[in-house]
Amino acid sequence: MKAAVIGLGVEGKKAVNSLLRHGWEVYATDLNINIDLDGLDLPMLSMNMIDDKQTVSIVGDDIVIDLGFTNPYAIEECDAIAISPSMFGGAFAEKLLENGDLLSDVVTRHKDIFTIGITGTNGKTTTVHMIKSILENAGKKVLVGGNGGGGFSGYYDLILEANEGEWDVLLVEVCDMTLDFARYCFDFDMIGLTNIGNDHMDVHKTVANYKNSLVRFFKDKTIFTAFNQDFNSDFKDSAYQTIPYFEYQDELQLVGKFNLLNAGLARAITTEIKIPKDIIKSTLYDFKAVEGRMDVYKINNADVYIGKTDNSDALASVLAENDFYALFIGTPRRNEEHRLDILDVAVKYNPEVIVLFPGLDDTLDIAIFRLNSLGYMGNIITVNTLDQIIELVAEYSHEDAIFIGGNGQDTIIDIQERIKLISEKLH
């Protein structure tokens, strides 16, 4: 079997890796000749590259990559096509839907599995892992994946994996930017909404537009929304079965009121599918924070809170629960300046120190400018290495609380691992 991958962004590169891993031949293309190929699992030493300064062709075992142009004849030879979710809804995608060439129309076994989708601005990954743990403890065979930003291998990998095994439940994390794409590719039986927050406004433009995308996504499905969720009245329609969920009332080992709602959603969904209450309760009691998500470690006197909080609502939910002496904030990509509004939230809580580090990109310059324009009067420090961050954590460890978060999941995981080791040695 041979597949064409159109677009080599995050999902495109994950699709290439998954297809090759599952034994497919791949033709991949991106019109950007300068696309970053990091993240592709390619045996580059065995590949030939042809570069005419305007286009690049890379040829290797089981794969051809064209950059700067697309070869329509190569696409026609393919059995299936994987497009970037961001292309969905455009003219090219519509043509594929007419022909039934999208990978999810060619490889279809996943549509026969009971499928739960979890979407929202914050808390998706934690909620997905909570539900997975509950279902597995109840003896279910669960296949989990979806949104690449959640640390999974992408939607196409989930489709390919589902085609090769026997599963009781398919559990999909759905990014809020890919709702229409995910609705087309998967046959959801239940959908849980964690929350609606202020993120990806470069795509949605307004929260109202985001809500309208959710209305389309929810149509004809059983949906779970928080009791206090904005727009709940918009989700009450004869086309939906809407089930409310509430904050979890039993004991958790996770920090933050936001995790009470995540656990409440996990409990509501698993209760609806008849998982015994004792299994739900014991699983959630034992549940530990997902790697890179909010957790707390003791360093000397300080509680060090660490976790990805890459939008203003996520950061505000953490800062509202404690008085932090220092905030360490990872910076966003240069083309994602909308995410700098996390600094607006940071300044609102007036910490003594804000430490900036490169999260997804080294955009320290624009972050400093933003803080100065906000009139922040505290101490601004910039660091570039993990060792520098650890040194400052040690310096501030006799204060009550320190926060480390912002953008850059991989960087934050690295920091988290170091802090955890130090905390275990000290305590």
Side-chain angles (χ1 to χ4, degrees), residues 62-355:
D62 298 324
I63 186 166
V64 174
I65 302 174
D66 286 337
L67 302 179
F69 74 106
T70 295
N71 182 346
Y73 301 107
I75 295 176
E76 287 177 7
E77 293 176 353
C78 292
D79 302 289
I81 299 176
I83 61 170
S84 167
S86 63
M87 298 173 64
F88 194 83
F92 181 73
E94 291 300 322
K95 182 179 179 181
L96 295 180
L97 300 187
E98 291 175 4
N99 297 332
D101 292 334
L102 204 62
L103 184 66
S104 63
D105 292 322
V106 175
V107 180
T108 61
R109 192 171 177 183
H110 62 288
K111 295 186 178 182
D112 297 327
I113 304 170
F114 186 87
T115 303
I116 302 169
I118 301 297
T119 193
T121 303
N122 299 308
K124 296 185 296 295
T125 303
T126 295
T127 304
V128 162
H129 282 279
M130 285 177 169
I131 294 171
K132 174 179 182 289
S133 297
I134 293 168
L135 294 176
E136 289 182 338
N137 285 341
K140 305 292 185 182
K141 192 171 182 184
V142 186
L143 179 60
V144 180
N147 169 33
F152 299 112
S153 296
Y155 297 111
Y156 292 116
D157 186 73
L158 195 57
I159 291 167
L160 294 168
E161 286 289 328
N163 200 53
E164 296 183 355
E166 297 295 330
W167 308 97
D168 298 312
V169 179
L170 192 63
L171 186 51
V172 189
E173 177 176 326
V174 181
C175 174
D176 59 275
M177 295 186 294
T178 63
L179 295 170
D180 292 332
F181 170 84
R183 179 178 170 85
Y184 182 86
C185 290
F186 299 94
D187 185 8
F188 293 103
D189 296 279
M190 294 179 171
I191 298 171
L193 174 67
T194 57
N195 44 62
I196 299 174
N198 180 31
D199 195 13
H200 300 137
M201 287 301 132
D202 55 329
V203 174
H204 299 304
K205 306 305 180 186
T206 67
V207 173
N209 287 341
Y210 175 20
K211 180 266 296 182
N212 291 336
S213 296
L214 286 168
V215 168
R216 293 194 303 272
F217 184 57
F218 290 158
K219 187 177 181 182
D220 301 324
K221 308 299 180 185
T222 297
I223 64 171
F224 298 75
T225 65
F227 72 101
N228 59 352
Q229 176 61 62
D230 292 339
F231 304 113
N232 265 341
S233 60
D234 294 87
F235 303 143
K236 286 180 168 44
D237 186 282
S238 59
Y240 316 139
Q241 178 189 359
T242 305
I243 300 173
Y245 65 89
F246 302 85
E247 291 183 353
Y248 189 67
Q249 298 299 312
D250 291 310
E251 189 173 354
L252 291 177
Q253 298 188 44
L254 303 183
V255 299
K257 292 182 179 178
F258 48 90
N259 275 320
L260 296 179
L261 276 173
N262 293 336
L265 174 54
R267 177 184 58 185
I269 288 176
T270 52
T271 297
E272 185 67 17
I273 56 178
K274 310 303 183 187
I275 303 300
K277 291 181 180 179
D278 60 329
I279 292 177
I280 297 172
K281 183 176 179 179
S282 62
T283 301
L284 291 176
Y285 174 78
D286 291 334
F287 188 84
K288 303 290 195 305
V290 178
E291 184 182 52
R293 269 49 182 183
M294 189 56 57
D295 210 346
V296 183
Y297 305 90
K298 195 76 174 181
I299 305 291
N300 294 324
N301 297 336
D303 290 325
V304 182
Y305 289 66
I306 311 177
K308 187 185 81 163
T309 40
D310 55 7
N311 63 75
S312 57
D313 288 320
L315 183 59
S317 66
V318 178
L319 299 190
E321 296 193 28
N322 213 323
D323 183 15
F324 293 96
Y325 176 83
L327 307 181
F328 291 66
I329 306 291
T331 56
R333 295 184 181 89
R334 197 163 288 276
N335 64 341
E336 293 181 336
E337 290 195 30
H338 62 284
R339 284 192 164 177
L340 286 170
D341 63 4
I342 60 175
L343 298 177
D344 301 34
V345 174
V347 169
K348 176 183 175 183
Y349 286 89
N350 197 31
E352 293 289 329
V353 182
I354 294 179
V355 180

Side-chain angles (χ1 to χ4, degrees), residues 380-396:
I380 302 173
I381 298 174
T382 60
V383 294
N384 288 283
T385 69
L386 178 55
D387 286 341
Q388 289 174 322
I389 291 171
I390 299 303
E391 287 174 7
L392 286 176
V393 170
E395 181 179 337
Y396 303 143

